[in-house]
Amino acid sequence: MDYIQPYLMLSSILFSMGIYAVITRKNAVAILMGIELILNSANINFIAFNRFGNFNTLDGHVFSIFVIVLAAAEAAVALAIIINLFKNIGTVDVDQAREMKG
Amino acid sequence: MREILQITSFLFLPLVSFIILIFWGKRFKSHSSTLALGLIGLMVLNSIILFIHTLSHPHHWPLEQSFEWFSTGNLSISLGYYVDNITSIMLMVVSLIGFLVHLYSTEYMKGDPRYSRYFAFLGIFIFSMNGILLADSLIMMYIFWELVGLSSFLLIGFWFEKDKPPLAANKAFLTNRVGDIGMFIGIMILYFNVGSFNINGIINGVGAMNPALLTVAGLLVFMGAVGKSAQFPLHIWLPDAMEGPTPVSALIHAATMVAAGVYMTFRIFPFLTPEALSIVAIVGAITAFGAAIIAITRNDIKAVLAYSTISQLGYMIMALGVGAHQAALFHLVTHAMFKACLFLCSGSVIHAMHHSLHDLNDNDTDPQDMRNMGGLKDKMPITHATMLVSTLAIAGVPFFSGFLSKDAILAGTLSYHHMHHGWTILLPLAGFGAAMITAFYMFRLIFKTFYGKPNNHDIYKHIHESPYVMSIPLMVLSFLSLAFIFTLNLNPLHGHGWFTHLIGHVKHVAGLDMHLVEDGIHHAHNLAMYISLLVATLGIVISVLFYYLKKVDVEKVSNFFNIVGLYSLSKNKFYIEKIYNTILYKPFFMQTKMASFIDWNIYDQKIVDAWGWITLKISKYSAISDYSILDQKIIDGTSHLVQYISSKLRKTQSGIIQNYLLGVLAVLVITIIVINQI
């Protein structure tokens, strides 16, 4: 398996699934899960390009570890926001949170 | 130093009285008269001391002192005093009458709400009058001259709540101004030709002056006297000035201030040219005779005395005009005494009438009208006696002072006629005529007021003699109206005494030979005396027939005289005020009305208001364009546009995050495609 294409395909599928989830899901927690999928697709890309890009360094790995750490932080913050959202409007349905409607 | 102090105290004492009473008078209340009396009393003592000094040390005189007041460039003005025998006499007269009037006023003005201010005004009057007497230069005399005018104004208008006094005060002030302007021009002509304001300096310096110019200058300065001494044609203010309190009329408008004009003319007499003097004499003669005729038909007791004053002042001016300067000053002093007495007597009568009317609650009857009096002799014996004495004095009866001085004046006019002949016969005729009329109307006043039956019994019942504070000045003044005082000689026909001796002689520098004049007067003396005795007797007899015995019907006589218009001429004061009204006031008011018409109807209503109209129209259209076009269309249009666009755009803000995200993705995809295409 010395070809990059399968990796990129996997990451594309993951990314598309994430985007789909983010756009279509009404539940805020599900949207958060979609975002995690998008982040992981990016991680696969980092690793894949590092492996097939003839780099002698481990930059891609380091980046993906950073992303994982960031994803953890982001999940914490996002969950806190969601809890507050629930406290304020009594649901986690993002369609109900339309305070910013012009 | 002692001398300067003594002289200047004549100015400071009344000035102190004025300053204290005008600023702190309210605190003194009824004691303000005590203070004023004290200070003026000191001044009387001072004047007596000065007078004794005059008599005992004749070689010390005159006293002169002068210091520079200010100088700018070539002009240097100095203030100073010049005191000779005449000043000394005049100071005593003013102080004495001033003191008696103060004393009299304490009773007469009792209960007046501005009691202290009245005495303050009397103070400033005496201050300024003394200033005129002491002045050694014409400019200083002019300053005090105006101050006298001011204090006269203040005192005439003292009862300013009434209608007439303020008008009378204005009239007096403005009429005096006419004369004062002439006086000022005259002083300036003299200064620029002689180079001095000092009277003695001018007398010594006029020799080099052009006689015609000197005549004009002298007459201009004399104009001041015409105004102040109420000579024809500026006499109209004096009868109106009687609106002031009666003691004021006695002090200012009879005895002292009006005499200031005569005093001033006496001072400038040495440099009045014979031509100027002849005009002075004519003015005096017209005044003496005209005012006497007007006085016959007056019914107001004070108006009779006012016209009598004008007439007597005319005598003095006429005396100066014919060169009889001694007689002029003599008459000035005797007149001051008996006229002050007459006025204070009339004040006493008015006071009594006023109180009587007050008891009757009658506010409509005029307390000064002689037709409401009559028979007061028994009710007011002191007033009657003193008034009779002073009337005898003014009528020119022997043993009384007026006889001597008037006789001297008439001698002067006779001698003037002897020297010049021709038209000058009019001067003695006017003099003797006025003397007869004076005797007539003064006795008319006495008979109508004190004799006969009371015209109104209600008033008569409530009449009382005035208190002693008022009658003592009357007694003193009537005593001083005796001829004996002025001659110290029991022979009533002998006019030369210490007084004429004290006045002495005057050196004339403008072409009049004083020796000739004095000789002429000396020779005319006896003739004048007999004629004046005759006319005075005639006047008194006619008056007795008319008003005491009532043998002649006054109505018939006045109707007889009215055939040639004489009665109404006198009744209407020779129409002088009407003539002034027609030729001066009416054109002036016409002019002001014209100016007011142009100013208001044309300038204001047409031009100024037209500008307003134009501005109004322009601003109306400007407002329309501003509001309808700029505001409504352009400014509001912009905002409407913005509102419309934003109302459309705000629909994109759904509030659903996923929509936004979809938009972001779409833009990203489009961007990538576009980038790849490039």
Side-chain angles (χ1 to χ4, degrees):
Chain A
M1 289 260 268
D2 278 350
Y3 306 105
I4 196 170
Q5 281 88 349
Y7 299 98
L8 293 185
M9 252 149 118
L10 176 66
S11 97
S12 296
I13 291 163
L14 263 180
F15 179 77
S16 300
M17 285 162 72
I19 286 287
Y20 181 76
V22 166
I23 290 171
T24 56
R25 290 280 121 186
K26 300 292 174 200
N27 194 324
V29 181
I31 291 170
L32 191 60
M33 288 171 176
I35 292 169
E36 295 298 326
L37 286 179
I38 292 166
L39 289 172
N40 283 325
S41 76
N43 280 352
I44 290 169
N45 269 10
F46 278 124
I47 304 289
F49 283 114
N50 198 50
R51 161 75 177 74
F52 296 101
N54 290 327
F55 294 108
N56 292 321
T57 58
L58 290 175
D59 287 359
H61 300 83
V62 174
F63 260 106
S64 46
I65 287 168
F66 265 116
V67 170
I68 290 162
V69 172
L70 275 174
E74 179 246 313
V77 171
L79 282 169
I81 290 172
I82 289 163
I83 288 165
N84 270 310
L85 186 71
F86 184 77
K87 269 188 187 168
N88 276 316
I89 61 172
T91 173
V92 289
D93 185 349
V94 289
D95 279 3
Q96 300 296 312
R98 297 177 65 170
E99 302 281 305
M100 297 292 280
K101 187 180 186 313
Chain B
M1 196 56 218
R2 206 187 118 263
E3 176 197 302
I4 294 176
L5 205 66
Q6 191 185 6
I7 303 289
T8 48
S9 68
F10 282 106
L11 296 177
F12 286 124
L13 288 172
L15 190 62
V16 164
S17 164
F18 167 69
I19 290 172
I20 293 177
L21 291 179
I22 201 80
F23 289 115
W24 298 286
K26 287 267 187 250
R27 290 191 200 165
F28 285 95
K29 293 196 180 82
S30 59
H31 296 294
S32 46
S33 57
T34 320
L35 177 93
L37 265 178
L39 288 167
I40 305 300
L42 270 180
M43 202 177 82
V44 176
L45 279 181
N46 194 6
S47 72
I48 291 170
I49 293 167
L50 187 75
F51 187 67
I52 291 168
H53 196 69
T54 316
L55 291 176
S56 54
H57 301 88
H59 50 278
H60 277 181
W61 296 73
L63 304 174
E64 267 184 282
Q65 196 77 46
S66 159
F67 69 94
E68 193 177 68
W69 183 24
F70 66 83
S71 68
T72 51
N74 292 330
L75 179 80
S76 139
I77 291 182
S78 51
L79 298 179
Y81 60 78
Y82 175 82
V83 179
D84 56 7
N85 298 346
I86 291 139
T87 319
S88 174
I89 295 166
M90 289 298 296
L91 280 173
M92 196 162 78
V93 170
V94 170
S95 307
L96 189 64
I97 296 181
F99 179 77
L100 294 175
V101 165
H102 269 77
L103 186 64
Y104 183 93
S105 302
T106 54
E107 178 62 30
Y108 192 86
M109 300 300 287
K110 192 175 266 176
D112 194 279
R114 292 187 298 278
Y115 190 70
S116 62
R117 196 190 291 179
Y118 173 81
F119 284 95
F121 287 168
L122 284 186
I124 193 170
F125 166 72
I126 292 180
F127 161 72
S128 24
M129 186 67 204
N130 282 347
I132 291 183
L133 300 178
L134 292 171
D136 71 336
S137 67
L138 283 177
I139 202 80
M140 180 174 164
M141 197 180 261
Y142 185 76
I143 293 167
F144 284 101
W145 192 265
E146 295 297 343
L147 272 173
V148 159
L150 167 77
S151 39
S152 161
F153 171 83
L154 292 173
L155 283 164
I156 296 170
F158 185 72
W159 286 319
F160 55 77
E161 328 65 348
K162 295 187 193 167
D163 297 335
K164 281 183 184 170
L167 292 176
N170 272 345
K171 187 174 180 180
F173 198 73
L174 292 176
T175 315
N176 268 308
R177 288 237 59 82
V178 177
D180 294 348
I181 289 166
M183 182 176 171
F184 193 73
I185 298 171
I187 293 172
M188 283 302 147
I189 292 177
L190 288 171
Y191 177 73
F192 284 109
N193 283 280
V194 182
S196 172
F197 286 122
N198 191 293
I199 297 173
N200 287 324
I202 294 172
I203 291 172
N204 293 330
V206 288
M209 231 175 119
N210 177 359
L213 190 62
L214 184 59
T215 307
V216 172
L219 282 175
L220 282 170
V221 178
F222 172 67
M223 251 181 88
V226 172
K228 197 66 80 198
S229 287
Q231 296 298 297
F232 174 81
L234 297 181
H235 65 276
I236 48 166
W237 66 270
L238 188 61
D240 288 42
M242 296 304 140
E243 291 295 338
T246 306
V248 167
S249 306
L251 176 63
I252 300 186
H253 306 115
T256 53
M257 182 193 90
V258 289
V262 179
Y263 176 80
M264 191 270 283
T265 316
F266 182 87
R267 285 293 185 202
I268 63 167
F269 173 74
F271 60 84
L272 287 176
T273 58
E275 292 80 20
L277 284 173
S278 66
I279 290 173
V280 171
I282 293 166
V283 169
I286 293 173
T287 313
F289 193 67
I293 287 180
I294 296 173
I296 300 174
T297 49
R298 297 301 104 198
N299 280 320
D300 185 317
I301 186 166
K302 279 178 84 179
V304 175
L305 293 177
Y307 278 103
S308 147
T309 305
I310 298 176
S311 170
Q312 300 302 310
L313 289 165
Y315 265 113
M316 299 171 208
I317 293 290
M318 179 164 71
L320 285 166
V322 298
H325 64 98
Q326 274 185 352
L329 205 76
F330 193 10
H331 197 56
L332 169 52
V333 174
T334 56
H335 173 258
M337 298 301 173
F338 60 66
K339 188 49 70 63
C341 185
L342 282 170
F343 261 106
L344 292 181
C345 288
S346 80
S348 169
V349 171
I350 293 165
H351 194 62
M353 287 289 289
H354 193 80
H355 277 266
S356 166
L357 291 173
H358 188 74
D359 289 345
L360 295 169
N361 276 330
D362 183 350
N363 294 321
D364 302 323
T365 312
D366 184 359
Q368 302 190 8
D369 197 323
M370 289 193 288
R371 284 170 293 192
N372 298 325
M373 301 172 189
L376 301 183
K377 176 170 59 107
D378 302 325
K379 287 273 190 173
M380 309 182 75
I382 299 174
T383 309
H384 164 246
T386 50
M387 195 156 189
L388 191 62
V389 169
S390 41
T391 302
L392 287 170
I394 195 177
V397 174
F399 294 107
F400 298 98
S401 62
F403 171 72
L404 299 175
S405 52
K406 197 181 274 185
D407 178 45
I409 291 173
L410 295 171
T413 59
L414 270 182
S415 113
Y416 195 73
H417 173 60
H418 283 310
M419 275 189 281
H420 297 86
H421 306 288
W423 62 267
T424 54
I425 185 71
L426 292 175
L427 296 181
L429 278 183
F432 288 114
M436 189 182 89
I437 299 167
T438 304
F440 173 71
Y441 69 70
M442 283 314 297
F443 274 90
R444 169 178 176 266
L445 186 148
I446 288 283
F447 291 142
K448 283 194 114 174
T449 311
F450 290 105
Y451 290 83
K453 288 197 177 68
N455 290 326
N456 189 329
H457 283 278
D458 288 337
I459 298 175
Y460 178 76
K461 254 183 260 170
H462 288 84
I463 294 277
H464 297 289
E465 176 64 281
S466 303
Y468 282 112
V469 181
M470 282 169 79
S471 54
I472 286 171
L474 302 182
M475 291 188 265
V476 173
L477 285 170
S478 61
F479 177 71
L480 289 171
S481 303
L482 298 175
F484 174 74
I485 303 292
F486 294 93
T487 55
L488 295 180
N489 188 331
L490 286 174
N491 179 4
L493 304 182
H494 187 74
H496 283 282
W498 61 268
F499 192 86
T500 42
H501 177 70
L502 209 57
I503 296 172
H505 301 280
V506 167
K507 200 168 127 264
H508 198 273
V509 294
L512 195 66
D513 188 345
M514 287 309 285
H515 286 295
L516 220 60
V517 172
E518 271 164 29
D519 276 352
I521 292 171
H522 190 70
H523 288 303
H525 185 256
N526 279 335
L527 181 61
M529 193 161 69
Y530 296 135
I531 303 178
S532 77
L533 269 176
L534 184 73
V535 292
T537 317
L538 206 62
I540 295 169
V541 166
I542 295 172
S543 192
V544 168
L545 286 177
F546 273 33
Y547 296 103
Y548 187 61
L549 302 173
K550 308 216 166 152
K551 291 280 181 199
V552 186
D553 188 358
V554 183
E555 285 290 315
K556 272 183 191 162
V557 177
S558 58
N559 285 339
F560 171 72
F561 276 116
N562 214 13
I563 294 169
V564 282
L566 272 176
Y567 180 76
S568 55
L569 209 59
S570 163
K571 189 80 192 165
N572 293 301
K573 309 166 192 170
F574 288 97
Y575 301 100
I576 289 171
E577 307 217 336
K578 283 193 181 129
I579 291 168
Y580 284 166
N581 217 0
T582 325
I583 65 166
L584 287 176
Y585 309 148
K586 278 206 185 130
F588 179 72
F589 282 123
M590 278 285 287
Q591 205 185 332
T592 49
K593 263 185 199 153
M594 281 274 290
S596 138
F597 177 79
I598 291 170
D599 198 43
W600 175 248
N601 292 41
I602 296 178
Y603 185 71
D604 194 284
Q605 295 278 300
K606 297 279 185 302
I607 299 177
V608 177
D609 283 13
W611 273 113
W613 185 82
I614 291 168
T615 315
L616 208 64
K617 288 286 166 201
I618 292 174
S619 55
K620 198 171 167 187
Y621 289 113
S622 159
I624 288 172
S625 64
D626 198 40
Y627 186 74
S628 311
I629 299 171
L630 191 71
D631 192 277
Q632 293 284 302
K633 296 280 181 312
I634 299 177
I635 297 180
D636 282 13
T638 313
S639 67
H640 281 309
L641 188 68
V642 171
Q643 200 178 25
Y644 176 76
I645 294 170
S646 57
S647 76
K648 297 291 169 203
L649 279 177
R650 65 197 277 261
K651 300 248 168 80
T652 61
Q653 301 287 321
S654 61
I656 303 167
I657 302 162
Q658 285 151 332
N659 280 359
Y660 304 162
L661 208 57
L662 204 60
V664 171
L665 267 179
V667 171
L668 194 68
V669 170
I670 291 164
T671 312
I672 290 167
I673 292 167
V674 168
I675 287 170
N676 283 343
Q677 289 299 313
I678 297 166

